[in-house]
Structure formats: C-alpha cells, structure tokens
Amino acid sequence: MNTMPQIPNLRLLFSTQNPSFLLSSLKPNQTLKFTHNIPPKPTKNLSFSYPLFTCLASRKPSSKSFSSGSLKQSVSKEKKGVSSMEESKKLGISGGFNKKRAEGRDKSGPKDLKLKVRRLNPVNTISYVQILGTGMDTQDTSPSVLLFFDKQRFIFNAGEGLQRFCTEHKIKLSKIDHIFLSRVCSETAGGLPGLLLTLAGTGEEGLSVNVWGPSDFKYLVDAMKSFIPNAAMVHTHCFGPSSTSSRVTLDNPERVNNQIKLIDDEVVKISAILLRLETRGLKDEPAIKSSDISVLYICELPEIRGKFDLEKARALGLKPGPKYRELQEGRSVKSDLKDIMVHPDDVLGPSVPGPIVLLVDCPTLSHFQELLSVQSLDNYYADISEEKHNVVNCVIHLSPSSVVNSSDYQKWMSRFGEAEHIIAGHQTKNIEIPILQSSARIAARLNYVCPQFFPAPGFWSLQQTSRSNEGADLKLCKTVSAENLLKFHLRPYAQLGLDRSGIPTKVGPTEIINELISEIPEISDAAKQVLQLWDGEEEDAGEGITSTESDKNVTEEPWLNQNILPRCLEDVTRENVEIVLLGTGSSQPSKYRNVSSIFIDLFSKGSLLLDCGEGTLGQLKRRFGIEGADEAVKKLKCIWISHIHADHHTGLARILALRRDLLKGLPHEPLVVIGPRQLKRFLDAYERLEDLDMQFLDCRHTTEASLASFESNDNKDENTLFSKGSPMQSLWKKAVNTLDGNVSYPVMKNLKKVIGEAGLENVISVPVVHCPQAFGVVLKGMDRVDSDGTIIPGWKIVYSGDTRPCPELVEASQGATVLIHEATFEDALVEEAIARNHSTTEEAIEVGNSAGAYRIILTHFSQRYPKIPVFDQSYMHKTCIAFDMMSINFADLHVLPKVLPHLKLLFKNEIVDESDDVEDAVTLAA
C-alpha cells in the first residue's frame, strides 16, 4: 500500500494555478497516485470541483479488507456508478460526493403499508410476559415489558436503549404488532424513533406497527417523518383526552365504566384504565398535560374450555360429526336423536380460566388516589364478596419505589389475593448488574489496559450512589424484584408462573480480566507499557518486562516522538478540558458501540454535548455514575446537533427532560440547543407532550458569517456563506436569512453569555457535505495568560459531524488541537463512502494532516466493524481510534497515539460475531 507523503498543507497543492512546483519538491520515493480523472488544466477552483481527499485517498479496493458481510453491503461500481466521474453523472454525483443525497433528493416517498394479518390459535400457543431491563442499571428510562405469543408480540413502553437491548439479547422485533405507552413522555417513548427505524428497515419494504398511548401524539410521529423512512407505517391510536380538552377521545369507542377496550382478538383482550391528575379547575391551567396521564393496562387471555366428554355427547343423542366442533367452539346444537338442544356446558368439562396480567404505572401518589377510585377494578379484587371474580395471576408494577413502598399502595396490592407482584420500577440494587453485558465486558478490558483513557470499568457498586429509598419492609403480599429477562408464563397452563431460566448469568470484572489474561497472556505486559507512558519511562526500561507484540508496535515507529506540543497545551491541567466519547458507532446502536454523542467536560466551567444519539443519558450514567451524570446534565451550557439523521439527536429529549426536573425550582436559563432547522419541528412536537425548557437556534445562525453579522449588528438580506458563487450554494435550496431579531437575537445573546462563562470564545457551525443542512462545529477556547504574563492561545476542538472530506471543514480545522472526524468506512469501501456521503479512515486522517491538526480522533464507525474498525496503522502517527466511554483529557493528548497499538492487541483474536445484526443495521445507515 502506498503511504501518503507528509505535506503541511495539501489544499495548496490543488488551489494553486501551477501545482507542478510543489510536486517537483517531493523526494523520489514520495509519489502521489491519482485514481480519479483530473482535468489536465487545473483551475483555481479545482479544490471545490474535485475534493483533494478523494483524489489522494481513493484507491482500488483491496480484497483483503472485505468480509462476506462487507461484500453484501458494499455498493459495486457496476451497479451504483460512482467510481468515476463519467459513471457518477448517472446518479447526479459530482466531485467525489453524492449530490442527490447532499440535497436530500435520494429519498423515496412514504409507503402506506398495510397492517399485518396473522392467523392466531388461542389454544395451542405459547405465551408469557417478560421484563426487558432497559434502564435497570442506569435508572434513566422505564423498563419495557414484552407480551409474547407464537405469532404476535406486544411491547409496553419503549424507553431509550430498547433497540440496543434487543440486539444484545437477540430479541427479534419483526413480529411486533402493537406498542403501548403507559405515559407519553421521554422516559417511556424515548426509544420509539429507534424502534420504528428498526421496523422500517426490516424486510424489503418495512413493517407496519400500531402505537397506542393515553394522549394525542400523532403530531410527534408525523414530525419523525423527516428522519424515519417509511414513516407512514406507524398507525397511532390515542385513547386519552386531547391537548385542549379533558374529554376522552377514543379511536375505539367501546368502553365500560373506566375501562377502555383496545384489543380483542382470539388470543388476548387488552384494555386500559386512565389515571390522571386533577387540574382543580384553575382557569389559567391547561385542561391537562399529556405527560400527567398514566395508564393501567389489563391483559386477559381467553379461557380454555374443558375436555369434550364423548360419553355425555352420545347419551344426549349426538352423532360424531361437525356438531362436536360447534360445541367445542361454544355454540349450542340440536340433538340428532332427541328433541332437545345440547349446550356446551352439557358435554364439556370445567373450563380453565384465562390468565390475567396487570401493568400498573402510577408515577405519583396523586395518581394512586385516582386509582383507588376506579370502580371497574372491583371485578379483579379477590376481597370482594362475590361468587365469581376475575382472578389476576400477575401484576407488574412500573411505579417508582416512593409509591410502591407506601403503606396504602401495599394494602392495595394485597387485594389481588395470590397474584404474583413483580416490582419493575427503579431499584438501587440493580445498579450493580450491567444490562448491556457485551459493552460492559469491553469496557472492563479497556479499563484494564488503559485506565487513564477508560476510567469507567463497566461495573459499579452501590457505594457510588446515596439513593436507597426502597427499604420499606411492608410485605403484605407476594412480591418479586424484577430481573432482566424474567418471565411469567401464561400458556401452556401447566407452566403458569415465574421462570428465571432466561436471566443472564452474572459475570464480574474479576472473571472478565482473568479470562482476558488467559486469552492474551501478553496483555499484562501491555498494561505495564501503557502505565510507563504516564510515568515518563522509556518503553523498554521496565524491570522484567519482555518484548511483546504491543511493545514492538510502539518502539518501531520513529514518528512517535516527533510531535511538538502546541502552545495551547502548555501548563494545561487535568481540570481544563476532557473529551468523553459516549457513542462512536453509526446508523444504529450495536452491542459494543452506541450512536453518536460527545461530551465536552469543561469541569467547573460547565460542559457541552456534540450530538445526542439515543441512549446518551444512559452512557453518561455508565461513565459518571447515577449522581455524577445528574451533575453533568445540570452543568450543560449548550447542546449542538450536526444534522437531522436519527442516530445524532434522538437522545436529546431525555437529556432536556432530566435537566428540567433537576433544576426545577432553581434559578436557571433554558438550555440552548443548536441544530438544523428540521430538528425544531421535532422538538416543538415533543414540547406539546412535556416542557423541555430549551431555546432553539438554527445552525445557520452560528456560522462564521452569521456570527460576524451578529457581532456587528449588520442585518443583511442574505448570509454571505450561501451567496451566489459560493461552493456550498448548490447544496441549499434557498439562502438563509440573517438573524431574526424577534427570535434568534435574544437566543444568540444568551448563547454568547453561557459559552463565555464556559471559557469559550465561540461555537462556530461549518457546512459540510452529507445531507441538507449538515454541519461540523468548531469550539474555540479563550486565550489565557501564564504566570509571566505571556498570552497562551486558546485550544481548538473541531468535530466533523457526518461528511465527505470537504474544503470548508479543512479550512475550519486549521491548527486544531483535536479534530474528531467521522470514519464510517474502511479505505477499501471508498465507493460506498462516496455514495453515502461519508468518509473513509484514510480520508479522515488526510483532513487532519492537511489542516495541521495536533491530534485526530476517528469515530462514527459502521456497525459492520462491531469492536474495532479496519485501519492501516502506518499512517496513525497522530491519530487514535475512538471507543465508547473513552475519556481523553487534554493533559494526556501527548500520549494518545502511543496507546493505540496496545488497544489493538485487545482485539487480535476477535472475529465479527454479530453479522446478522450488522447486516440489518448497515442497510439503514443514515
């Protein structure tokens, strides 16, 4: 493989009228190979017409990097026509990127998919309810409950992380027909976009699904259409009051007392009881808030009729034939030999009652008071003195411990007689048991090798939290603490009851590390070598340390000690800046990598989030602990979102809702959210459900030109960045107006204030080439003065978002302290990178090299690389591969590239073990 020559500024090579003088200065062995067609007479705008990184980094794919999965997913140049300029014209792809995709013209219209019709058998079926333990260890979201039948699946609540959870535990989502929400808020519905994305990508055309909830959320699903393909597949059903009236509006009008029938088929009847707070009749208050309504769901399986008695049938004058079946199906028939009617009870043995399961979400004691007044529940209480009542077999409590442990609630639970009560609300003891064991295992291994960059070990203890409010000893009925994947069998009747066989085996960090040392004996030496990097020792100076594969990889590279520390890092302390990579995967979360999110910790000055994919809050909890994550959220100064694709923003509402709750009653400003304008529609829809306590600012108002306009109060008609002749003009359907004085100006002033408090000079959005309104961002720290009065220039962090290599980002990255650049594909898949407007590993590195960045961090890897991406270590001299939970303190930047060979050693025996899941995930790459 040809390696790239080190040229201080490659952009100069392609922007000059005569690049030959630069090429002639290269040494004989430093040759440049171009695989794309370049016009013989370059013009000064050539860098815009033909991105230099495509020219330099693109080569014929090498076969050695392709797995079978890669071959299936890659875009062949024969089919896609993007490997040459001539072929690319067919798809409107020019200049090394997919123009149609960048302009948003590559999408097909929504498909109106029909609801699935399944043949059901109420007798010969397997059925159970199962706890899906999302949020059990991180306490950030509501657990989900699966109601399973042979040919149907029902899910109750879809909190963040459900999609990743199902990938981890190989739970197939293809047969989900209905999703029920016990409340409509970020805690219970935060995972809905990801779940719908999974269903939209299942099969050739996607699957349809019904979503039920106690308030009108159709507008929220409509807002998802901008980032969920086949959005018409979602059929919403509201059975609660509208946002403007307390009157209950029903899609299905059948209702008995307080009980609303939702589903009634051959295998199950599902009904709902609404629990809502009273507004006390105050005129200034809205009729009711959507998030204040909760639901008690009742799931009733039909009874199984008794055994057919042939002797009784003959005695009643019935001949063998179709009348036997009619009686078994519950219909009366006329006797063949006698002048009488024969009823089912005459020939059938005693029926077996159908099991009944209740799911109760009582978020507050006020809701519980409403629950006590529900008359329709009288039919299910065992203490009602009636001859016959409906026997409840299992009650799953999603209510918080503050409610469940109250004496009144315990007394209410006891009214269900011998029912099994499963307590599924948040319990502190569950913190010790990682729900995502695969990622916890990787985190523990990384922590062993390099605890400096991976301080979160993947496991936590109860000592990390002071919350222990579930210690009530009131046990008036049979209760069981929910565990991940705990089942309660409903059918066959002989298996009725709890089943713990599917609960994952608990594996602690000690066992994981022992297994690692047994698997890779030299890893112990690698850990010692890493420690020496901080101790300032030479790599080969340790006593008794033998030369390992990792040691050779480090010491044989002559460039490792050639980096000069930039002035902005002089006298830097561990309390200045830390970059925490919360999610480093693309498209959809996998077992080992969550989707995009970067936490910029400025310690006492605050923090920022760059992108906020689903599960970001859970990742913060895993990194900082339950209470530490709360503090991290409280001190957020700004959240910046790169573009509208779901893997970059669907964790936002959960973060905002938690911050609102944490700061309730305290003086504070709404949090500034900077993002593409399509995001505002989605957030506005969410705010109709619950207040998010935020201010929105369009990314286009934070470009360099717009910020200059703001500073000078120069209100021009058009932003010069998108003016005629600008390189980016063709990627926008219309130019952006400058700041709207009524809306954006106050938010801009607030942004300027809060980032100043954080020690930032500016937050600048940079247009990039991916989809309409895609941006990168530049964070510029303020200059500081040392003890001698010398001015030390501020640091600079650049994050690419999703993009093809483009001159705008190179320009913005000049002299960056750290460039965080997406590297979705390996170098062999450059055609697919062009088709999807992403970057390859080498292209990302060349952006950093040409910009003179001090350190380059590669992230946003395709999920076809579940643990570590494919890369060529020969050009990684200033670069590191990102992993989830990696925490890079500015005080450690000088050793960052030296750690990579040791980390790579961890994965030397790894093979792709989730190819089926990866195949599904990459087809939905945004």
Side-chain angles (χ1 to χ4, degrees):
M1 180 180 289
N2 295 327
T3 57
M4 298 301 307
Q6 295 304 307
I7 301 176
N9 192 343
L10 290 176
R11 295 183 74 248
L12 183 61
L13 175 64
F14 292 92
S15 60
T16 180
Q17 291 282 358
N18 182 17
S20 60
F21 78 95
L22 288 173
L23 292 173
S24 63
S25 65
L26 296 174
K27 295 179 181 180
N29 62 341
Q30 289 182 306
T31 60
L32 293 175
K33 182 177 180 181
F34 301 96
T35 60
H36 288 264
N37 298 326
I38 305 268
K41 294 181 180 181
T43 65
K44 65 180 181 179
N45 291 326
L46 182 61
S47 60
F48 296 120
S49 301
Y50 298 93
L52 59 111
F53 304 102
T54 300
C55 301
L56 290 173
S58 302
R59 290 187 293 272
K60 292 181 180 180
S62 59
S63 59
K64 67 179 182 178
S65 299
F66 277 93
S67 64
S68 60
S70 298
L71 286 170
K72 291 179 184 177
Q73 298 296 334
S74 64
V75 182
S76 67
K77 60 183 178 183
E78 289 79 14
K79 291 184 178 179
K80 294 298 181 181
V82 295
S83 61
S84 69
M85 296 302 169
E86 291 79 12
E87 292 173 331
S88 67
K89 291 178 182 178
K90 299 175 183 177
L91 295 179
I93 300 171
S94 61
F97 68 93
N98 187 330
K99 186 177 179 182
K100 282 188 176 181
R101 189 174 183 84
E103 294 176 341
R105 296 187 292 111
D106 62 334
K107 299 177 182 179
S108 60
K111 301 174 184 178
D112 189 12
L113 300 179
K114 303 301 181 183
L115 290 173
K116 297 180 286 290
V117 178
R118 305 189 189 279
R119 297 183 63 182
L120 307 175
N121 187 333
V123 179
N124 299 320
T125 186
I126 295 173
S127 178
Y128 54 80
V129 285
Q130 185 173 34
I131 304 296
L132 307 183
T134 53
M136 275 189 165
D137 55 342
T138 52
Q139 316 273 288
D140 64 305
T141 191
S142 172
S144 297
V145 178
L146 171 67
L147 175 58
F148 177 95
F149 293 93
D150 289 337
K151 299 182 182 297
Q152 274 188 310
R153 311 285 189 275
F154 302 87
I155 281 187
F156 295 84
N157 286 345
E160 283 191 26
L162 177 60
Q163 181 186 193
R164 189 180 187 191
F165 176 92
C166 292
T167 299
E168 166 91 6
H169 296 288
K170 300 188 183 303
I171 296 174
K172 299 297 182 182
L173 299 174
S174 58
K175 292 186 178 179
I176 291 178
D177 290 326
H178 300 272
I179 301 170
F180 295 91
L181 304 178
S182 64
R183 281 174 287 136
V184 183
C185 61
S186 61
E187 186 180 359
T188 58
L192 195 57
L195 188 60
L196 296 180
L197 270 171
T198 298
L199 295 176
T202 302
E204 294 184 0
E205 293 191 343
L207 298 174
S208 60
V209 67
N210 291 280
V211 183
W212 301 77
S215 53
D216 186 7
F217 56 94
K218 182 180 184 300
Y219 50 83
L220 177 63
V221 174
D222 288 342
M224 295 178 188
K225 290 182 180 179
S226 59
F227 56 86
I228 294 181
N230 301 346
M233 62 174 242
V234 184
H235 302 266
T236 58
H237 304 273
C238 166
F239 52 88
S242 67
S243 59
T244 58
S245 171
S246 60
R247 183 178 61 86
V248 175
T249 58
L250 302 174
D251 292 316
N252 184 345
E254 187 169 352
R255 178 176 181 175
V256 179
N257 294 328
N258 302 100
Q259 198 166 336
I260 307 164
K261 185 190 296 184
L262 307 178
I263 303 290
D264 192 1
D265 59 26
E266 297 95 320
V267 297
V268 68
K269 180 175 74 173
I270 299 177
S271 55
I273 295 174
L274 295 179
L275 308 174
R276 45 187 172 160
L277 297 174
E278 295 297 328
T279 58
R280 300 178 183 177
L282 297 180
K283 295 182 180 180
D284 294 337
E285 292 190 10
I288 195 164
K289 290 182 180 180
S290 298
S291 55
D292 285 340
I293 307 171
S294 65
V295 183
L296 183 153
Y297 286 107
I298 303 173
C299 306
E300 301 176 81
L301 276 64
E303 67 177 9
I304 298 178
R305 295 188 176 277
K307 186 176 180 180
F308 190 85
D309 192 323
L310 290 174
E311 294 299 325
K312 287 185 177 180
R314 292 192 186 102
L316 292 171
L318 285 172
K319 297 178 180 180
K323 290 183 179 180
Y324 282 14
R325 174 173 291 277
E326 291 185 53
L327 286 165
Q328 288 177 306
E329 292 176 350
R331 295 191 294 272
S332 300
V333 298
K334 183 173 177 59
S335 173
D336 296 314
L337 304 177
K338 298 182 180 181
D339 188 21
I340 60 173
M341 291 296 295
V342 181
H343 303 288
D345 291 342
D346 297 333
V347 294
L348 297 177
S351 298
V352 178
I356 298 176
V357 178
L358 271 56
L359 290 95
V360 186
D361 187 355
C362 228
T364 69
L365 289 173
S366 297
H367 287 87
F368 174 61
Q369 293 303 316
E370 174 83 1
L371 178 61
L372 291 177
S373 65
V374 175
Q375 295 181 354
S376 58
L377 281 178
D378 290 349
N379 297 327
Y380 301 91
Y381 293 139
D383 59 356
I384 299 294
S385 57
E386 294 183 1
E387 293 183 1
K388 186 178 181 181
H389 69 276
N390 299 320
V391 177
V392 176
N393 302 92
C394 179
V395 184
I396 299 175
H397 301 269
L398 302 174
S399 312
S401 56
S402 58
V403 174
V404 173
N405 290 329
S406 68
S407 58
D408 288 341
Y409 194 92
Q410 292 271 321
K411 291 176 183 176
W412 176 78
M413 289 167 59
S414 67
R415 300 190 67 183
F416 294 100
E418 296 300 314
E420 195 82 61
H421 292 269
I422 300 177
I423 310 301
H426 293 160
Q427 298 184 73
T428 306
K429 65 179 183 180
N430 289 328
I431 293 172
E432 295 182 298
I433 308 168
I435 295 301
L436 302 175
Q437 292 194 356
S438 296
S439 62
R441 179 174 176 270
I442 292 291
R445 291 160 71 103
L446 289 166
N447 171 259
Y448 173 77
V449 174
C450 184
Q452 296 85 354
F453 285 143
F454 299 94
F459 294 80
W460 303 268
S461 68
L462 292 177
Q463 296 176 352
Q464 290 187 305
T465 179
S466 60
R467 299 180 182 180
S468 56
N469 58 350
E470 65 223 27
D473 293 327
L474 294 170
K475 299 297 179 186
L476 303 180
C477 54
K478 198 164 45 175
T479 63
V480 174
S481 292
E483 295 181 77
N484 185 30
L485 300 184
L486 175 69
K487 290 180 182 178
F488 188 93
H489 280 284
L490 304 173
R491 293 271 165 82
Y493 184 78
Q495 297 180 10
L496 185 70
L498 291 171
D499 178 5
R500 291 185 169 86
S501 61
I503 296 174
T505 304
K506 299 178 180 64
V507 179
T510 302
E511 293 92 332
I512 289 175
I513 300 308
N514 289 340
E515 175 192 273
L516 171 63
I517 295 172
S518 174
E519 175 189 335
I520 310 174
E522 61 268 35
I523 203 69
S524 297
D525 293 339
K528 295 175 184 177
Q529 291 290 322
V530 169
L531 181 60
Q532 288 176 5
L533 298 176
W534 274 266
D535 290 343
E537 300 175 11
E538 296 296 328
E539 280 78 2
D540 57 353
E543 293 183 9
I545 298 178
T546 59
S547 179
T548 65
E549 177 184 341
S550 174
D551 189 18
K552 292 177 183 177
N553 286 337
V554 175
T555 57
E556 288 179 358
E557 299 295 347
W559 37 255
L560 281 174
N561 295 316
Q562 292 180 358
N563 294 292
I564 300 174
L565 195 73
R567 286 206 61 213
C568 65
L569 295 180
E570 291 179 7
D571 301 323
V572 71
T573 71
R574 304 198 69 81
E575 299 298 318
N576 289 125
V577 185
E578 187 163 280
I579 300 170
V580 182
L581 295 140
L582 299 173
T584 58
S586 69
S587 180
Q588 293 182 316
S590 72
K591 292 192 333 188
Y592 306 105
R593 292 183 185 272
N594 202 48
V595 286
S596 296
S597 184
I598 303 168
F599 181 74
I600 307 296
D601 195 350
L602 303 173
F603 296 93
S604 61
K605 294 182 178 180
S607 61
L608 293 88
L609 269 175
L610 308 181
D611 277 338
C612 191
E614 179 185 339
T616 291
L617 179 57
Q619 294 291 85
L620 280 172
K621 302 271 187 178
R622 294 180 180 98
R623 169 59 182 85
F624 295 106
I626 303 299
E627 294 179 343
D630 288 351
E631 292 302 315
V633 170
K634 283 197 291 187
K635 70 176 186 177
L636 279 171
K637 298 293 185 181
C638 170
I639 298 179
W640 182 91
I641 304 298
S642 61
H643 62 289
I644 193 59
H645 289 162
D647 56 324
H648 291 259
H649 71 81
T650 49
L652 185 55
R654 189 74 197 101
I655 292 281
L656 293 172
L658 175 62
R659 180 182 180 271
R660 173 205 65 208
D661 294 341
L662 293 172
L663 296 177
K664 188 175 182 179
L666 300 175
H668 67 281
E669 294 286 339
L671 187 63
V672 177
V673 176
I674 304 172
R677 75 167 181 268
Q678 308 105 307
L679 180 62
K680 187 175 189 303
R681 182 189 174 204
F682 179 63
L683 293 175
D684 286 346
Y686 230 120
E687 285 210 291
R688 291 178 64 179
L689 301 174
E690 57 180 336
D691 177 32
L692 296 180
D693 193 19
M694 54 151 283
Q695 294 177 320
F696 184 82
L697 193 61
D698 194 323
C699 277
R700 297 179 299 174
H701 291 157
T702 61
T703 62
E704 192 169 18
S706 289
L707 291 173
S709 175
F710 169 74
E711 292 292 344
S712 63
N713 291 321
D714 183 14
N715 294 320
K716 298 178 181 178
D717 290 336
E718 289 189 351
N719 188 320
T720 58
L721 183 64
F722 303 94
S723 61
K724 186 175 181 180
S726 154
M728 294 300 292
Q729 182 195 20
S730 63
L731 300 185
W732 303 93
K733 294 183 178 178
K734 63 179 181 179
V736 59
N737 291 331
T738 52
L739 302 177
D740 181 341
N742 294 328
V743 179
S744 298
Y745 189 80
V747 183
M748 287 293 299
K749 288 189 68 175
N750 187 32
L751 175 65
K752 192 73 176 174
K753 170 178 170 288
V754 296
I755 65 173
E757 294 170 352
L760 296 179
E761 187 178 293
N762 243 328
V763 175
I764 304 172
S765 298
V766 181
V768 295
V769 180
H770 180 60
C771 67
Q773 299 184 63
F775 293 86
V777 68
V778 178
L779 304 181
K780 183 71 170 65
M782 290 181 176
D783 296 345
R784 50 195 176 92
V785 180
D786 65 11
S787 56
D788 298 330
T790 305
I791 296 177
I792 300 176
W795 48 263
K796 182 178 182 179
I797 296 175
V798 180
Y799 169 49
S800 69
D802 286 8
T803 184
R804 287 292 296 149
C806 60
E808 289 77 13
L809 186 65
V810 176
E811 185 67 33
S813 303
Q814 291 295 317
T817 314
V818 176
L819 169 63
I820 307 170
H821 201 292
E822 72 119 295
T824 307
F825 296 106
E826 62 186 278
D827 299 336
L829 300 182
V830 64
E831 282 88 1
E832 186 163 357
I834 293 172
R836 297 183 183 276
N837 281 344
H838 285 296
S839 300
T840 67
T841 299
E842 188 174 357
E843 287 175 329
I845 292 171
E846 282 305 314
V847 172
N849 286 342
S850 66
Y854 174 62
R855 290 290 179 256
I856 305 167
I857 301 171
L858 302 183
T859 187
H860 196 267
F861 303 112
S862 168
Q863 301 294 16
R864 73 185 72 204
Y865 319 115
K867 295 182 182 178
I868 190 167
V870 177
F871 63 92
D872 184 347
Q873 194 168 304
S874 64
Y875 51 70
M876 303 290 285
H877 63 283
K878 60 167 69 173
T879 305
C880 194
I881 299 296
F883 296 88
D884 282 18
M885 301 297 146
M886 193 174 192
S887 302
I888 304 169
N889 195 287
F890 266 26
D892 300 327
L893 280 177
H894 63 290
V895 300
L896 182 61
K898 302 179 184 181
V899 173
L900 182 58
H902 303 287
L903 300 181
K904 190 176 180 182
L905 182 62
L906 274 174
F907 305 99
K908 73 170 193 173
N909 298 329
E910 298 288 353
I911 60 174
V912 176
D913 63 349
E914 51 178 27
S915 57
D916 293 339
D917 298 327
V918 174
E919 296 284 330
D920 294 338
V922 296
T923 59
L924 280 179

